[in-house]
Amino acid sequence: MRKPDDHGDVAASRAAELPEAVLADAVRDTGASVGLVYVLPPGEQVLHLVLASGVPRHIAAPWARIPVDAGIPVADAMRQRRLVWLGSQEEVARRYPRLGIVLPYDFMLAAAPITDATTAWGGIVLLWPVWHPPQLSPAEREAISASCHRAAAFLRQAADSGLPPRLPDEPHLLAAPHHADAEPAQAMAALSFTERLPVGCCALDMDGRLTFINSAGAELVGADAASLLGHRPWEVLRWLHDPAFEDRYRAAVVTRQPTSFTARRPPDTGLVFQLYPSDTGISVQITPASEEPAASPARATVPSMSGPVGAAGLYHLTHVATALAEAAGVKDVVELAADQIVPAFGPKALALMTVKEGRLQIAGHRGYSAELVARFDGAPLTSDTPAVRAVTTAESSFFPSFADLQRAYPPAVDQDRMAAWAFLPLIVSGRPVGSLVLAYEQSRPFPPAERAILTSLAGLIAQALDRARLYDAKHTLAHTLQTGLLPHALPHIPHLRTAARYRPAGHGMDIGGDFYDLIPCTPTTAVAAIGDVQGHNTTAAALMGQVRTAVHAHATVGATPGDILARTNRLLVDLNPGLFVSCLIAH
């Protein structure tokens, strides 16, 4: 095969990127308001979000990486190779509580697998407002199926060409369809129209940033337009720095339904904000509370989220908490923390370190090169570094810039090319067991609300690590007990070829009461036994050893298969373990 030249390499790498049309066509042909496409790289167990439409990155961030065994619609659709349809908020909350907690809004959702005859490649997720009919139409199902087949064919071709799909650092956002550009005269007329209105009006893009505000609106919120343009209003106006505004914006983006809320501008001016979303942004009308129009959009209930922390931060924190609650071992905790924190909380790189034998060892990382990680792995607890100091003092450190870091640690060298850092201790029962390092590309002020969120995040990870270590210890004990009770090798029996393979039936079920045995009886006969004791713990493993010993003893003295089972059953009745045992005997 001819080795491609540089131009060929470039073309090939481009060919391995999933075409935008896969998602754009599905969104257009089904009328969906939001679309997401996930790809499962070969050999991995995590779905990667590669394309998104109709939703900003910071709202999609908690689902940028999804383990294939997670209880999330797209993962279920891919594993089960079928379309998952959720027709109401109640159904979302009932079947997928983690999704319902983080997106407590009214919408309809379909998740479809991207598969072919042999391989599961990923999945497509589409959302609709609640005015969509209660079921998908045949035409919509056909459009979703066509997009999935097209994506699968593309990914199959890429894989057969030796080019695995190229995964972007961040999902690629499809541009919203734009209306025809207005003539200059029309634009001036529209601007004059808004300036004549006695009420305030402004426009937000899909990311929540203000792109326009009229004079009446600026006067009502008490700020000039220049200070607001290009910013999210709740990040500029302190009296709007309340989760209510941001949550209503999130609700408008996800549901595409009008919504509203009331805020009080100091000292005592009540203002009503009415949000009207579309695929290109959100129009906002601002009126004094006493002059609220009679026909205003229905006000949805705002979740109770007291304090100065933004809605996005609280929802991300809740999402991480629910994900960590499902993690079993330490490896699961590390992978989930790394997968969730980087896209949702803004750092470009992350390192999670744990204390072991007087050293700080890196348990997991994202965004750092293997070479840099190896350089810091195993640092002794006597060294004077921010990560070690977080462990030894149990105090968090935040450095908005490299100059701040160097003032605290004069020998510091900017080895990771980052501009701001947070070093957070992982504390369990008042005892630091590790540290979490977050690094940012741009300088960052770390206001008190963000520090509180990050500190809470570190606390959740520490608690999950503590539970995971206990799980791993019990798992190791049960596994050791089980393997010690199983035959280390099958006996040699003339004229009979035998082999054994132990394969777990599912995730987290590779230990417990399963057993097998091969017992020579005479020079020409043997007994094979396969059994299972109810449960997956040390109790099941211990009972398995007793059952296997009984079966082995009765088979050795020449008992028939029926007698072997009957005698072993009498033993179980005498032991009264409270566990069910199944067994197959072949003579």
Side-chain angles (χ1 to χ4, degrees):
M1 180 180 293
R2 182 181 65 85
K3 182 179 179 180
D5 56 20
D6 291 342
H7 296 291
D9 285 342
V10 172
S13 70
R14 287 176 179 168
E17 289 186 20
L18 201 62
E20 292 184 6
V22 166
L23 181 58
D25 291 350
V27 169
R28 182 196 64 223
D29 295 341
T30 63
S33 55
V34 174
L36 308 169
V37 175
Y38 288 87
V39 168
L40 179 65
E44 288 196 25
Q45 293 296 306
V46 176
L47 289 161
H48 294 250
L49 178 60
V50 295
L51 293 175
S53 171
V55 65
R57 285 192 181 94
H58 66 89
I59 291 182
W63 296 278
R65 290 165 60 91
I66 298 176
V68 295
D69 58 355
I72 299 295
V74 67
D76 282 355
M78 192 192 74
R79 289 197 315 271
Q80 300 167 13
R81 289 175 170 260
R82 66 176 182 86
L83 185 140
V84 173
W85 170 251
L86 302 173
S88 67
Q89 182 181 9
E90 181 181 351
E91 190 174 7
V92 171
R94 176 173 52 83
R95 294 176 57 185
Y96 298 96
R98 190 201 301 183
L99 182 62
I101 288 172
V102 184
L103 289 178
Y105 312 122
D106 282 325
F107 59 86
M108 296 178 172
L109 180 148
I114 298 175
T115 58
D116 57 24
T118 60
T119 306
W121 299 102
I124 291 179
V125 179
L126 299 171
L127 272 66
W128 292 266
V130 290
W131 53 74
H132 183 279
Q135 297 295 332
L136 291 172
S137 68
E140 289 170 336
R141 287 180 174 271
E142 178 59 32
I144 295 171
S145 178
S147 290
C148 289
H149 288 157
R150 181 177 178 184
F154 179 88
L155 294 169
R156 166 60 67 191
Q157 183 179 9
D160 291 346
S161 302
L163 295 167
R166 198 161 71 107
L167 301 177
D169 293 335
E170 294 184 337
H172 180 66
L173 298 182
L174 275 61
H178 287 286
H179 302 295
D181 293 335
E183 295 292 333
Q186 291 178 313
M188 288 301 300
L191 181 60
S192 298
F193 166 76
T194 61
E195 287 299 314
R196 288 191 296 268
L197 290 175
V199 298
C201 60
C202 63
L204 306 178
D205 62 17
M206 294 301 287
D207 202 38
R209 302 183 187 278
L210 194 138
T211 58
F212 169 79
I213 186 168
N214 69 348
S215 299
E219 184 177 351
L220 283 171
V221 301
D224 63 280
S227 65
L228 298 172
L229 293 176
H231 301 283
R232 299 183 180 101
W234 57 89
E235 295 176 349
V236 178
L237 303 171
R238 295 186 61 83
W239 53 275
L240 275 181
H241 193 59
D242 181 284
F245 188 97
E246 187 179 357
D247 182 73
R248 291 302 87 205
Y249 147 75
R250 285 167 53 90
V253 170
V254 173
T255 68
R256 295 296 201 272
Q257 296 185 81
T259 186
S260 66
F261 74 99
T262 301
R264 185 161 295 279
R265 194 196 84 194
D268 57 0
T269 302
L271 297 175
V272 176
F273 293 80
Q274 299 171 216
L275 286 69
Y276 300 89
S278 75
D279 292 337
T280 58
I282 301 173
S283 297
V284 182
Q285 179 177 316
I286 310 168
T287 56
S290 59
E291 299 176 17
E292 180 183 355
S296 62
R299 295 190 191 181
T301 301
V302 179
S304 176
M305 296 177 288
S306 59
V309 179
L314 288 174
Y315 280 130
H316 290 333
L317 193 64
T318 302
H319 185 267
V320 172
T322 55
L324 290 175
E326 298 176 5
V330 171
K331 182 180 178 182
D332 292 338
V333 171
V334 172
E335 290 297 315
L336 274 170
D339 287 345
Q340 294 296 326
I341 293 172
V342 170
F345 290 89
K348 185 66 176 178
L350 165 152
L352 197 156
M353 306 179 177
T354 57
V355 175
K356 187 175 182 180
E357 298 177 351
R359 294 181 177 273
L360 201 55
Q361 298 187 335
I362 296 181
H365 62 93
R366 286 285 185 279
Y368 282 127
S369 67
E371 179 184 358
L372 186 62
V373 167
R375 198 178 305 164
F376 288 95
D377 194 16
L381 294 182
T382 55
S383 58
D384 187 21
T385 65
V388 169
R389 187 175 292 185
V391 174
T392 56
T393 65
E395 294 181 357
S396 301
S397 298
F398 299 90
F399 301 101
S401 67
F402 179 67
D404 295 307
L405 176 63
Q406 202 165 41
R407 272 194 295 270
Y409 298 90
V413 178
D414 190 3
Q415 300 186 66
D416 58 4
R417 305 296 182 187
M418 297 294 172
W421 299 263
F423 296 88
L424 308 162
L426 303 178
I427 301 174
V428 175
S429 301
R431 177 175 54 90
V433 297
S435 63
L436 176 66
V437 181
L438 305 178
Y440 301 81
E441 279 188 309
Q442 305 294 329
S443 58
R444 199 174 188 90
F446 293 112
E450 184 175 15
R451 296 187 183 207
I453 281 282
L454 296 179
T455 301
S456 299
L457 185 64
L460 290 173
I461 293 172
Q463 293 171 12
L465 277 174
D466 194 41
R467 293 193 303 269
R469 283 176 168 175
L470 180 61
Y471 173 88
D472 283 347
K474 291 181 177 179
H475 182 279
T476 301
L477 175 61
H479 188 268
T480 302
L481 179 60
Q482 180 190 41
T483 54
L485 294 172
L486 289 173
H488 296 287
L490 296 179
H492 173 70
I493 298 177
H495 310 296
L496 184 65
R497 283 195 302 176
T498 59
R501 176 176 294 179
Y502 189 97
R503 296 289 296 275
H507 178 69
M509 300 179 63
D510 55 342
I511 59 156
D514 306 293
F515 67 92
Y516 61 90
D517 205 353
L518 183 66
I519 306 114
C521 297
T522 71
T524 59
T525 62
V527 167
I530 300 174
D532 180 25
V533 177
Q534 175 189 0
H536 298 275
N537 50 36
T538 53
T539 302
L543 182 59
M544 175 270 286
Q546 294 174 305
V547 172
R548 180 187 166 236
T549 300
V551 169
H552 194 105
H554 296 314
T556 301
V557 298
T560 64
D563 286 341
I564 293 173
L565 293 178
R567 295 173 185 177
T568 304
N569 190 63
R570 285 197 293 272
L571 171 66
L572 283 172
V573 172
D574 292 340
L575 292 174
N576 190 24
L579 296 175
F580 183 83
V581 181
S582 58
C583 187
L584 167 70
I585 300 292
H587 182 86

